Amino acid sequence: MGRLLDKSKKVVEAQLAGTTIRAIQGSMIAYEGNVSFKSAGFGSGDGVLAGMKRRATGEALSLMECSGHGVVYLAVGGQYVSVVDLANETLQVESQQLLALSGNLNTNVTFTGLRGGVGGQGLFTTTVSGQGQVALLSAGGPLIHLEVSPQYPLVVDPDAFVSARGQVTQSFVTDVSWRNAVGQGNGEAFSLKWDGHGVVSIQPAER
């Protein structure tokens, strides 16, 4: 498989040795060697169902395949990058924060509930499962990893959430009076609550 290395805080170096990695379209900033690029659709979830999910979420997670021998440099908008190793695990990730995938990984979109309030907008999460590497983006600084345990459930702002892994379950907290207290009354009617054992990663800046 291709190897992902976060060589600087804002650039991922994908090393290819006759191998392939998948990355967000438009994220290639330079490459060396004999490398070819082609559209990979929506991860491994192409077809009618994937198209319906994309329309339902309003997300445009368009991936490209980078194949051959050489090095591809990836970055998006000067955001910070982190590489996560998965060993037959599942990572729940905010689609906008996904940069690249390497290895035997599958992607899918799961429905996680309805946004609070009158609109009832659906919420969806991209899941990445299997063995390999995932490069994640974060705004405002490097990812902050917060532990979740049964004794200490975690509540996070949905605009700060990037990813979650481990035996964790997500629910919604609709009593978010704290937003007004800290000057973040931006109209959102819920926060995300995580219970169980695992790690939730957030970014220092909101989307």
Side-chain angles (χ1 to χ4, degrees):
M1 67 179 184
R3 182 74 178 164
L4 302 179
L5 301 173
D6 44 353
K7 296 296 286 185
S8 79
K9 292 181 179 179
K10 299 183 179 182
V11 177
V12 162
E13 179 183 296
Q15 299 179 345
L16 302 176
T19 49
T20 298
I21 62 105
R22 289 171 290 163
I24 297 299
Q25 287 189 1
S27 62
M28 188 275 291
I29 58 171
Y31 74 92
E32 303 168 338
N34 184 15
V35 180
S36 62
F37 302 87
K38 70 175 184 178
S39 174
F42 180 74
S44 61
D46 294 319
V48 175
L49 180 58
M52 291 175 62
K53 289 176 178 176
R54 287 200 300 274
R55 287 193 294 272
T57 61
E59 295 171 347
L61 182 61
S62 298
L63 299 178
M64 62 179 178
E65 286 188 357
C66 313
S67 305
H69 293 80
V71 179
V72 181
Y73 299 92
L74 305 168
V76 173
Q79 295 188 71
Y80 287 77
V81 294
S82 302
V83 174
V84 176
D85 292 302
L86 295 182
N88 293 315
E89 303 170 85
T90 296
L91 183 74
Q92 303 176 55
V93 60
E94 166 62 42
S95 297
Q96 297 177 48
Q97 310 308 128
L98 185 61
L99 173 59
L101 305 163
S102 173
N104 186 20
L105 295 170
N106 295 313
T107 60
N108 197 9
V109 175
T110 59
F111 179 70
T112 58
L114 291 174
R115 182 186 295 270
V118 178
Q121 179 182 349
L123 293 174
F124 294 79
T125 299
T126 297
T127 59
V128 181
S129 57
Q131 185 162 353
Q133 295 178 296
V134 183
L136 300 175
L137 297 165
S138 59
L143 283 177
I144 301 168
H145 307 291
L146 303 174
E147 186 174 349
V148 180
S149 67
Q151 295 81 13
Y152 296 100
L154 179 69
V155 177
V156 302
D157 187 316
D159 283 334
F161 170 74
V162 174
S163 67
R165 64 193 296 188
Q167 302 301 313
V168 293
T169 58
Q170 176 190 295
S171 59
F172 299 97
V173 178
T174 56
D175 180 13
V176 288
S177 57
W178 62 267
R179 285 182 180 278
N180 293 328
V182 297
Q184 291 182 296
N186 57 4
E188 292 177 348
F190 72 100
S191 289
L192 302 178
K193 181 181 180 183
W194 298 90
D195 293 276
H197 281 284
V199 175
V200 171
S201 300
I202 63 173
Q203 60 183 2
E206 291 188 332
R207 278 181 291 277

